[in-house]
Amino acid sequence: MRRHRHLIFFLACIGCAVVLGLAGASPARASADKQTRKEQKEALKKLPQQYRDWLEVVDLLITNQERAAFLALDKDYQRDAFISRFWEVREHGAGRDFQRQWEARIEEARARFHGLLDERARVFLLNGPPGAVVVAHCATLLWPVEGWYYRHGERYAGEFVVVFYQRWGAGPFRIWEPMDGLGALFVDGNNRHSLSEIAGSCRDGDTLAGMIGWVGGQGLGYGMLEARFESKPEGPGGEWVSSFHSYSTDVSADAVQLAAKIDYAYPGREGGRTAVQGVISVRAGSAGLLRLGDHLSYDLLVTGEVLEGKHLFENFRYKFVLPGNVGADAELPLVFQRLLRPGEYTLIVKVEDLNSPKIFRAERRLTVPRVDQALPPPLPGDPETARLLAESNATAALGENTIKLIAPRGELQTGMLRFDTVITGKEVDHVAFALDGKPVFTKRRPPYSVEFDMGRLPRPRTLAATAFDAAGNQLASDQLLVNAAPHRFRVRLTEPQRGKRYESSLLAKAETDAPEDEAIDRVELYLNESLVATLFQPPYTQPIVLPKESVAYVRAVAYTADGNSTEDIVFINSPDNVEQLNVQFVELYTSVLDRQGRPVQGLSQKDFSVREDGTRQEVVRFDQVTNLPVHAAVVLDTSASMEKALDTSREAALRFLQDAIKPKDRAAVITFNDHPNIGVKFSNDLTALAGGLAGLKAERGTALYDTIIFSLFYFNGVKGQRAILLLSDGKDEGSRFSFEDCLEYARRAGVTIYSIGLGDQLDKKKLSRISEETGGRAFFIKNVGELAAIYATIEEDLRSQYLIAYQSTNTSTDGAFRSVEVKVGRSGVEAKTLRGYYP
């Protein structure tokens, strides 16, 4: 029905149509198009046909920067890798099936329009199929003409019409524009023709004339409309192109040579893959030495490519920062490991000296064997390094013993649950299980599974499984975080293992969990506080030579592209009493308000005092928070009672998101009535966040406590500054969880809750208590028009906090709630932070 009404609108244009006798298409535009095609043809001459074909397929997707970068490549394996990455970055932004859908649309366009040069193909590819098509059946009067109607296209959201014609009845169709003149559609080319002739002489002529009249009525404005529905999709940005080039091993002919050599070994295996260990020995006297005050270091970047036949199997990057207090004749060992299937490969390695223009490049053929046991690593160039790495290589050789915990399906895991394990290796005698760090059960025969009671509330629990041989030696271990949210950001050191003894070296291994729709940018590995290596892709493994002192620690830090980070630390060879010591590191995001409720800034660490269960604590970290990343969830009540306030509430929430969310921040939109719903997962895409506030309808009841627990659960795995902005106008109605459940869960979650109550139908006391217990504030307003000011106050509060951290003096393992009190040594001000926590 709607489509027919639009067609009636086209017919109405016939009566007001005038004879269009304008000049032909702009020669400037045609000349520019020809010049562009000419330049492209010159660049394409050097490409093999398969890559010319690919550029034709992506012509409407590829950016100028991407095209230039692709044409600059001179090796087929690099081009193949570029194409693979090209689709990956678009799948990340547009969905997993983007490549398949685009290629299917290309094939359909080729079949329907006999190629991609036809302008109908371009409009079809960019906007999808039209809602209606009218084809002229008037051969003696008109050239072949088609009218396409879009209620909305993919490149332009409004309705529009496109008229195509095929001059001389041959060749590709082109778009008709008002400036072409009406005569361009007629066989005789006479501009004195009118639309009424088309309406009266051609089958479906009235509809076609209406479409032509609509286009003609736009006048010069149609060119701007055409530019919008013919515009290319916005590309993913140039960062990925720069990143792709950074993995190239190409070296210019005039590069200055860095004195180095490379050796290989195959120390062990992991699963069906062989560990390939490379040691690049750089002569210190040839490398540049960085001097920054008392700091001396050699800084070297290793880039590698592994080719299998003519195809790129993988590429990798490592950055090494090595102490500068060595002699000029010393060898600087750059050690890396890759896991490859047995077979033939070509390994290309480039070493860049970041402190000089020198470069080392090596290309070697590798025959990777199948390794069944430890092999002595042949490292003749540096016997001392070989000796130190022997223990690390032995670890790699034993990698076939593994244990993996299998997570139960579903979210919000509560009650009795069964956990199974998958084990490889033949030496496992028994498996010990621990829950939240406490040993609970040992299974001495398969199947190595166990059941645990996860409790009534869905809180995060850490389950660990450790496999031992008959002599009690630890073989492998795994951890599983139960009730982990999908956006969990975590790095975990699986090697070194806590409690295991190491002599001279170890093979550090890190596993990562990236937030949903994000990727790990890099992992840094430290020995004590010295950076050992930066790894830009998995597997995150790195041999580390240990210091002579017996106690040290390995630290892994993982980063996302926007700079957010998380870390894990393992002490090695530490005394038993250190291993058993339970040290709780507590972070308090604290607001300080004056009597008018305004944030107080400019305070120093000496202005604060912290007590836990009445015992004074020593502050070990103090920062004024102004630009740390914030994770915030806007939680909006959409129950039936919100009908009159919903539109204004939505606009106020959107304004908060637009004003408060910075590039490093993330926000989520959660709506609720008788059940909660995630409208938008954590994102900093304001368009997506706005979309989560669209299409809301006020209906049904208010499950307030369930929603608070659900929202807090969604923050599982998110570290740093976290806040919930809860807006509701009613009491809880029918939640599965009680207020006491909600309060306990809020205490455990440690997320600041700002409650905004609208109207009088509220339990103000309970909302206030939840906010106060979590370090937030409660606001109660009569008029929805006050929301904008409240959101502005919360934004100012989030950007004006102090981060106070301390190591708790309480080493108890009873798990009881610990009260926290922060005071400011100034009159007239109040510190607001969480009232306590569960260790």
Side-chain angles (χ1 to χ4, degrees):
M1 292 297 295
R2 297 193 66 171
R3 183 179 299 170
H4 292 311
R5 286 200 295 270
H6 291 306
L7 295 179
I8 290 171
F9 168 76
F10 298 146
L11 292 173
C13 294
I14 297 175
C16 60
V18 295
V19 176
L20 301 176
L22 300 176
S26 166
R29 190 187 81 170
S31 175
D33 288 347
K34 289 181 180 179
Q35 182 64 32
T36 301
R37 286 194 293 270
K38 181 179 178 181
E39 292 174 351
Q40 290 179 353
K41 287 181 179 179
E42 290 296 323
L44 291 173
K45 286 181 180 179
K46 299 178 181 179
L47 282 180
Q49 186 62 45
Q50 67 189 87
Y51 301 113
R52 297 187 206 177
D53 294 341
W54 180 76
L55 283 176
E56 182 182 51
V57 168
V58 300
D59 180 61
L60 297 179
L61 300 177
I62 195 166
T63 66
N64 292 335
Q65 181 184 5
E66 289 171 331
R67 184 185 296 274
F70 183 75
L71 293 174
L73 300 174
D74 61 359
K75 299 181 180 67
D76 285 353
Y77 78 82
Q78 294 174 332
R79 297 184 180 109
D80 293 336
F82 185 98
I83 291 171
S84 177
R85 185 67 180 135
F86 175 91
W87 290 119
E88 284 178 11
V89 296
R90 282 164 172 79
E91 299 267 345
H92 180 73
R96 294 181 181 177
D97 292 332
F98 178 79
Q99 179 183 355
R100 182 183 60 80
Q101 292 170 354
W102 180 260
E103 289 175 345
R105 188 174 288 185
I106 287 284
E107 291 306 309
E108 184 176 355
R110 284 173 170 161
R112 291 178 60 175
F113 311 118
H114 310 291
L116 302 181
L117 296 179
D118 195 303
E119 293 194 9
R120 292 175 301 174
R122 179 184 179 92
V123 175
F124 173 81
L125 290 171
L126 290 171
N127 295 275
V133 177
V134 177
V135 180
H137 297 280
C138 209
T140 59
L141 186 66
L142 300 175
W143 299 121
V145 176
E146 289 187 17
W148 288 12
Y149 163 69
Y150 283 92
R151 184 163 177 254
H152 57 78
E154 295 175 13
R155 304 304 307 141
Y156 175 64
E159 65 179 4
F160 62 93
V161 175
V162 191
V163 174
F164 303 93
Y165 70 104
Q166 186 186 40
R167 197 174 181 93
W168 311 114
F173 279 71
R174 59 173 294 179
I175 295 176
W176 179 78
E177 300 174 346
M179 292 187 66
D180 292 336
L182 189 60
L185 302 177
F186 285 81
V187 172
D188 61 9
N190 195 325
N191 277 320
R192 290 193 296 272
H193 288 289
S194 69
L195 293 175
S196 57
E197 293 181 62
I198 300 175
S201 305
C202 305
R203 189 196 311 174
D204 296 325
D206 52 353
T207 302
L208 181 62
M211 288 181 163
I212 298 170
W214 187 92
V215 174
Q218 307 302 308
L220 296 176
Y222 190 76
M224 292 184 290
L225 174 61
E226 182 183 352
R228 295 182 69 179
F229 68 70
E230 280 205 296
S231 63
K232 285 186 175 184
E234 184 177 348
E239 288 187 4
W240 85 264
V241 177
S242 300
S243 176
F244 180 86
H245 279 307
S246 69
Y247 279 82
S248 172
T249 57
D250 292 343
V251 175
S252 62
D254 58 350
V256 182
Q257 182 69 21
L258 178 69
K261 57 185 177 181
I262 186 167
D263 293 290
Y264 307 99
Y266 307 101
R269 75 179 190 190
E270 184 168 319
R273 298 200 175 200
T274 297
V276 179
Q277 179 173 282
V279 178
I280 305 170
S281 302
V282 179
R283 191 169 62 83
S286 176
L289 180 63
L290 178 66
R291 298 177 182 270
L292 291 175
D294 295 331
H295 172 84
L296 300 176
S297 67
Y298 294 100
D299 305 279
L300 300 144
L301 183 66
V302 176
T303 304
E305 294 176 324
V306 180
L307 308 184
E308 188 174 27
K310 296 182 178 180
H311 302 286
L312 180 67
F313 179 78
E314 68 171 11
N315 51 18
F316 57 88
R317 292 181 80 201
Y318 295 79
K319 185 170 70 174
F320 295 89
V321 179
L322 302 175
N325 55 348
V326 297
D329 294 330
E331 299 284 344
L332 305 175
L334 312 181
V335 185
F336 64 89
Q337 283 196 355
R338 310 305 301 167
L339 297 175
L340 301 178
R341 295 187 297 264
E344 300 292 330
Y345 299 88
T346 300
L347 176 64
I348 308 171
V349 174
K350 179 178 70 174
V351 181
E352 298 176 70
D353 184 354
L354 300 181
N355 302 326
S356 79
K358 295 181 179 181
I359 293 178
F360 167 78
R361 186 180 188 275
E363 183 171 334
R364 301 284 190 274
R365 291 288 298 170
L366 293 182
T367 299
V368 178
R370 182 178 301 278
V371 176
D372 295 320
Q373 59 184 357
L375 298 177
L379 299 172
D382 188 4
E384 178 62 14
T385 299
R387 184 187 67 79
L388 292 173
L389 289 176
E391 185 179 3
S392 165
N393 293 342
T395 301
L398 296 174
E400 60 183 288
N401 291 299
T402 66
I403 184 170
K404 183 71 175 178
L405 280 162
I406 307 301
R409 292 185 178 183
E411 296 181 332
L412 297 174
Q413 302 282 5
T414 60
M416 191 66 69
L417 294 176
R418 176 187 174 92
F419 297 88
D420 294 307
T421 61
V422 175
I423 293 178
T424 63
K426 301 178 180 179
E427 302 177 23
V428 175
D429 177 75
H430 60 278
V431 174
F433 294 90
L435 187 63
D436 298 331
K438 298 179 181 179
V440 290
F441 189 75
T442 297
K443 197 81 179 284
R444 297 194 174 275
R445 61 176 58 88
Y448 295 110
S449 59
V450 68
E451 289 189 355
F452 287 116
D453 186 355
M454 294 291 107
R456 192 164 54 88
L457 292 176
R459 62 189 183 91
R461 309 292 297 274
T462 300
L463 177 64
T466 305
F468 296 88
D469 64 14
N473 298 312
Q474 181 174 320
L475 300 175
S477 66
D478 190 31
Q479 282 188 6
L480 179 66
L481 182 61
V482 186
N483 286 327
H487 50 262
R488 175 179 49 159
F489 180 25
R490 183 181 72 146
V491 62
R492 184 171 72 89
L493 282 164
T494 60
E495 186 75 29
Q497 300 175 24
R498 292 167 175 84
K500 186 175 178 180
R501 300 294 298 178
Y502 300 88
E503 297 299 330
S504 58
S505 66
L506 57 86
L507 181 65
K509 296 183 179 181
E511 294 180 350
T512 60
D513 292 304
E516 196 169 50
D517 297 327
E518 294 191 48
I520 301 296
D521 179 69
R522 66 190 187 278
V523 171
E524 295 176 346
L525 291 171
Y526 292 81
L527 178 63
N528 297 333
E529 289 305 306
S530 298
L531 179 63
V532 175
T534 303
L535 290 68
F536 293 88
Q537 66 292 306
Y540 301 113
T541 61
Q542 178 63 35
I544 294 179
V545 176
L546 300 178
K548 293 181 180 180
E549 58 266 24
S550 59
V551 179
Y553 58 87
V554 174
R555 185 163 64 98
V557 185
Y559 296 85
T560 53
D562 58 13
N564 287 328
S565 64
T566 184
E567 64 180 70
D568 187 26
I569 187 171
V570 173
F571 284 88
I572 52 179
N573 299 337
S574 55
D576 292 340
N577 63 331
V578 174
E579 282 296 325
Q580 295 171 1
L581 187 62
N582 180 24
V583 178
Q584 187 73 35
F585 190 75
V586 184
E587 291 185 340
L588 305 173
Y589 287 90
T590 306
S591 299
V592 180
L593 308 176
D594 62 17
R595 290 191 175 95
Q596 287 72 43
R598 296 172 302 199
V600 177
Q601 302 189 41
L603 300 177
S604 63
Q605 180 174 334
K606 65 181 181 181
D607 293 313
F608 292 85
S609 62
V610 181
R611 292 183 178 274
E612 180 179 298
D613 289 338
T615 302
R616 190 178 181 91
Q617 305 293 314
E618 180 183 357
V619 175
V620 296
R621 181 182 176 187
F622 178 85
D623 292 307
Q624 185 165 358
V625 178
T626 56
N627 60 357
L628 287 182
V630 174
H631 280 74
V634 173
V635 182
L636 183 61
D637 187 346
T638 60
S639 61
S641 58
M642 284 286 293
E643 183 173 9
K644 293 183 179 180
L646 187 56
D647 287 344
T648 306
S649 300
R650 178 169 51 193
E651 291 297 326
L654 178 60
R655 192 179 312 166
F656 166 80
L657 294 170
Q658 291 172 334
D659 293 343
I661 301 305
K662 310 304 180 189
K664 288 188 177 182
D665 301 330
R666 295 291 183 272
V669 174
I670 299 175
T671 60
F672 73 98
N673 38 47
D674 56 6
H675 69 279
N677 173 67
I678 297 178
V680 181
K681 299 175 181 179
F682 278 125
S683 171
N684 64 355
D685 184 340
L686 290 175
T687 300
L689 292 168
L693 295 168
L696 302 180
K697 179 178 175 60
E699 58 184 356
R700 301 199 291 269
T702 307
L704 182 61
Y705 302 145
D706 284 0
T707 297
I708 292 175
I709 289 178
F710 176 86
S711 302
L712 291 168
F713 173 82
Y714 186 60
F715 276 86
N716 281 351
V718 175
K719 296 183 179 181
Q721 200 173 9
R722 305 170 296 169
I724 288 175
L725 286 67
L726 171 68
L727 172 63
S728 180
D729 73 339
K731 295 182 180 180
D732 182 84
E733 299 174 351
S735 281
R736 179 162 61 99
F737 297 107
S738 67
F739 170 74
E740 287 71 24
D741 292 334
C742 184
L743 185 63
E744 180 186 352
Y745 199 81
R747 284 172 165 175
R748 292 185 183 277
V751 179
T752 303
I753 299 177
Y754 293 90
S755 301
I756 307 172
L758 177 61
D760 297 320
Q761 304 300 314
L762 295 158
D763 193 326
K764 297 181 179 179
K765 184 177 180 180
K766 290 181 178 178
L767 281 179
S768 296
R769 188 173 178 195
I770 288 176
S771 294
E772 291 292 329
E773 289 282 343
T774 60
R777 302 165 67 180
F779 305 88
F780 299 102
I781 57 178
K782 297 286 187 181
N783 190 329
V784 71
E786 302 175 55
L787 275 176
I790 298 298
Y791 279 130
T793 299
I794 294 173
E795 179 192 357
E796 184 181 17
D797 205 22
L798 291 173
R799 300 297 180 188
S800 308
Q801 293 186 327
Y802 298 89
L803 173 56
I804 302 170
Y806 67 92
Q807 287 186 350
S808 174
T809 57
N810 186 349
T811 59
S812 171
T813 59
D814 60 8
F817 182 76
R818 301 177 182 182
S819 63
V820 174
E821 183 181 25
V822 177
K823 288 189 175 182
V824 182
R826 290 192 183 185
S827 61
V829 299
E830 178 187 12
K832 299 182 72 64
T833 190
L834 57 86
R835 293 284 181 85
Y837 69 96
Y838 285 94

